[in-house]
Structures are given as C-alpha cells and as structure tokens.
Amino acid sequence: MDYPNEIKNRIKRADGQLAGVLRMMDEQKECTDIVTQLTAVRAAVDKAIGLVVSANLERCVRESAISGLADAEKLVHDAMNLVIKSR
C-alpha cells in the first residue's frame, strides 16, 4: 500500500518528539514534563494508527466492492479489532 505523506509526516513528528524525550532525560528534566511529552508521543502514534487502518480499510472495501470477493462487514470488523488491539 502507498501511504500518504500525511501519515508519514505524523510518524516523523512522533519520532522527533521521542528524540526530544530522550534529550529531556539526558538533561534531567522533571518527571511530569517527560510524562507529558510521552503522552503526546502516544497520542501522535495512536492517531497515525487510526489513519493507517482507515486508509487500508477504505482501499480494501473499495476493492472488495469491485471484485465482489470479500465481505465488507468482516473487513470493518477486522479493522476495528486491529485498532482495539493496538491500545
């Protein structure tokens, strides 16, 4: 699957945030500040997961409608299970 730049940019941003957390640890920053930044990283990754699943689900449903081979309801169910498992 070809992932949109929007998703890739979110991952790059989360990567930068995580590098910032490591810097904060090296600088002996306060625990609350580090946890705040880690929470932001987790939120960014969660959003990226949602976008990846959504883009993939959209493609799968569209292809199944064209080919008539897959059950769209099962595709949606599987996608939701994937999101839930990622939590």
Side-chain angles (χ1 to χ4, degrees):
M1 178 173 169
D2 185 27
Y3 294 99
N5 284 336
E6 174 191 10
I7 296 172
K8 293 176 187 177
N9 289 339
R10 284 183 180 276
I11 298 296
K12 290 175 186 176
R13 200 172 311 124
D15 185 42
Q17 287 175 309
L18 203 50
V21 169
L22 288 172
R23 254 189 326 276
M24 291 173 71
M25 289 176 164
D26 289 341
E27 296 168 358
Q28 303 291 314
K29 297 292 182 180
E30 292 295 321
C31 170
T32 54
D33 295 333
I34 291 171
V35 170
T36 298
Q37 288 305 310
L38 284 171
T39 301
V41 171
R42 181 172 52 193
V45 170
D46 285 345
K47 180 68 175 179
I49 288 169
L51 289 171
V52 167
V53 170
S54 174
N56 186 56
L57 178 60
E58 180 183 341
R59 182 184 57 82
C60 288
V61 169
R62 191 177 327 108
E63 287 175 3
S64 77
I66 292 169
S67 68
L69 295 178
D71 177 12
E73 186 175 332
K74 182 181 180 332
L75 291 172
V76 171
H77 184 264
D78 290 348
M80 292 311 301
N81 282 337
L82 187 60
V83 170
I84 291 167
K85 189 187 303 186
S86 73
R87 295 294 303 169

